[in-house]
Amino acid sequence: MKLAILSRKPSLYSTRRLMKAARDRGHEARVIDPLHCYMSVSTARPAIYYKGEELTGFDAVIPRIGASITFYGTAVLRQFEMLGVYPVNESVAISRARDKLRSLQLLARKGIGLPVTGLAHSPDDIQHVISMVGGAPLVLKLIEGTQGIGVVLAETPKAAESVIDAFLGLKANILIQEYIREARGADIRAFVIGDKVVAAMKRQAREGEFRSNLHRGGSGSIAKLTPEERSTAVRAARVIGLNVAGVDILRSNHGPVVLEVNSSPGLEGIEQVTNRDIAGMIVEFAQKNARANRTRTRGKG
Ligand SMILES: Nc1ncnc2c1ncn2[C@@H]1O[C@H](COP(=O)(O)OP(=O)(O)OP(=O)(O)O)[C@@H](O)[C@H]1O
Ligand SMILES: [Mg+2]
C-alpha cells in the first residue's frame, strides 16, 4: 500500500510512529506537509502537487492536521478524496470535530451524554444561561481554547458573572458548563479506531487543579472502562464521523459525559501509558479499509 501521512513535521512523535508502523508492515509511506501542497481544482483533471511534483498512486491518507491549519489542511485532504484516495478520517468529519459547538450539538442530537452546556452571545442573557446550567460552581470555556488554556472554574455566581463579562467583553465565544465535581479532577481519554476502544487512559489533575491536561501537569495511567463508557466513546466517534478519534469523557453521577472528540489525537501519551502499538493499529485499519473511491462523502458537504 502507498500511504500519505499528512503532517507538518516528520519529527513529531505521532508522525514518526506512523511512518515506522507503515514501513514495518511493508508499506511505502511518505510524510506530506499539507501547507506545501497546491492543487488544481478542475472538473476534467483534479490534481495535487507537492513541491513541484504531482502526487499520484496513493491508496490511503492518514491526516494529522493540527488545529491551526484546519482550513487549508482539510482542503488538501478533500482534494485527495476527490482523487479517490481513502482517508482514514474524512475531511468533513475533521471539520465537524474542529467546531466545538457543532460537535456538541451533533452529540446532543444523537443522545450522547454531555455536561449541561449553555451558550450565549449577549451579556444581557448571562443570568439566564447561568441558571439554566444549574448555577455556580460552573466551568467557563473559550471555544478557541486548547490544552486547558481558557478553561476556568468559577466557584461562585459572582465569580462566574465577572469572568463571563470579561470574556464576552473581549468578543470571545464561550461555553458555560455544569461543573462535574464528582470527576475529581480526572478525565478519561478513550482512543477509538473503527468500532472499538483500542486503549484508554485516565488523566488526573495535579493537586489543587481541576484540569487534567497533561500540559497542565496532569498524569496519565491505564484506565479500565465500563461497557457504557466504551459504547459512549465509540458512538461519539461515529456521530462525528471519525474512524480514528480521541474521545474525552468525564465520569459523572449520571454516567459518562463526553467533553470532546479529537480528530488528530496524540499518540505519545497514550502509547507510553498503555504500552499499545496504536500507530500499528491505525496503519492496519487503513490497510484493511483502503479501496479507491471508498470515501463516504468524497469531500462533499
Ligand atoms: N464541565 C467540567 N467539569 C469538570 N471538569 C472539567 C469540565 N470541563 C473540563 N474539565 C476539566 O478541564 C480539562 C480541560 O477542559 P477541555 O478538555 O474542555 O479543554 P481543553 O483541553 O482546553 O480543550 P481541548 O480538549 O479542545 O484541547 C478537562 O480535561 C477536564 O479535566
Ligand atoms: Mg481537553
Side-chain angles (χ1 to χ4, degrees):
M1 178 170 64
K2 186 168 160 186
L3 198 61
I5 298 167
L6 269 191
S7 162
R8 292 229 52 205
K9 269 208 197 131
S11 61
L12 295 175
Y13 177 93
S14 301
T15 312
R16 276 193 283 119
R17 289 282 301 126
L18 288 165
M19 279 298 283
K20 180 165 186 320
R23 287 184 173 154
D24 286 351
R25 285 164 182 75
H27 303 302
E28 183 187 338
R30 264 178 83 178
V31 176
I32 309 272
D33 177 354
L35 296 189
H36 285 282
C37 289
Y38 52 101
M39 300 164 272
S40 156
V41 182
S42 76
T43 317
R45 205 176 84 80
I48 309 179
Y49 297 87
Y50 188 60
K51 303 177 178 174
E53 167 206 353
E54 184 171 355
L55 295 179
T56 56
F58 284 95
D59 300 296
V61 50
I62 299 180
R64 299 287 313 176
I65 296 168
S68 62
I69 63 153
T70 301
F71 187 71
Y72 197 79
T74 51
V76 171
L77 181 58
R78 216 154 35 235
Q79 190 82 357
F80 274 102
E81 291 167 6
M82 283 168 62
L83 298 178
V85 181
Y86 175 77
V88 160
N89 276 337
E90 294 187 22
S91 57
V92 172
I94 295 171
S95 304
R96 273 187 208 127
R98 286 289 153 78
D99 183 337
K100 287 194 190 184
L101 300 187
R102 185 179 178 191
S103 303
L104 287 176
Q105 287 170 323
L106 282 170
L107 295 169
R109 197 168 83 196
K110 297 289 180 182
I112 310 269
L114 302 171
V116 180
T117 304
L119 277 172
H121 187 75
S122 163
D124 303 339
D125 305 324
I126 291 172
Q127 282 306 337
H128 191 189
V129 178
I130 291 180
S131 63
M132 243 166 41
V133 306
L138 41 82
V139 176
L140 308 168
K141 297 184 188 181
L142 284 176
I143 288 175
E144 305 297 321
T146 182
Q147 302 181 346
I149 298 163
V151 178
V152 177
L153 174 60
E155 313 243 20
T156 66
K158 266 269 145 291
E161 221 177 298
S162 47
V163 176
I164 295 172
D165 266 344
F167 279 162
L168 294 184
L170 295 168
K171 303 263 173 268
N173 280 308
I174 52 168
L175 293 178
I176 303 168
Q177 201 163 65
E178 161 196 20
Y179 174 48
I180 311 292
R181 184 195 298 276
E182 60 273 24
R184 287 194 232 105
D187 75 353
I188 303 286
R189 161 59 61 92
F191 205 106
V192 175
I193 301 181
D195 54 6
K196 275 208 218 48
V197 174
V198 298
M201 69 173 163
K202 177 174 164 176
R203 296 177 297 200
Q204 178 69 54
R206 64 182 154 76
E207 198 57 39
E209 169 63 70
F210 81 104
R211 297 166 298 178
S212 58
N213 302 65
L214 303 181
H215 288 98
R216 308 246 72 73
S219 56
S221 60
I222 293 187
K224 184 150 174 41
L225 302 194
T226 65
E228 190 189 7
E229 288 164 348
R230 285 179 181 274
S231 76
T232 299
V234 169
R235 281 168 54 224
R238 191 177 305 144
V239 166
I240 305 297
L242 294 167
N243 294 312
V244 171
V247 182
D248 294 342
I249 291 175
L250 292 178
R251 288 177 161 159
S252 86
N253 287 339
H254 44 277
V257 291
V258 172
L259 277 185
E260 202 196 0
V261 183
N262 294 282
S263 57
S264 283
L267 301 186
E268 188 164 14
I270 190 112
E271 283 200 334
Q272 281 166 2
V273 166
T274 64
N275 229 345
R276 289 270 165 89
D277 177 11
I278 295 174
M281 292 189 259
I282 294 174
V283 169
E284 282 165 17
F285 180 88
Q287 184 178 350
K288 202 162 138 221
N289 291 282
R291 315 258 188 295
N293 300 319
R294 208 182 169 188
T295 318
R296 257 177 291 161
T297 57
R298 299 197 68 192
K300 290 190 295 248

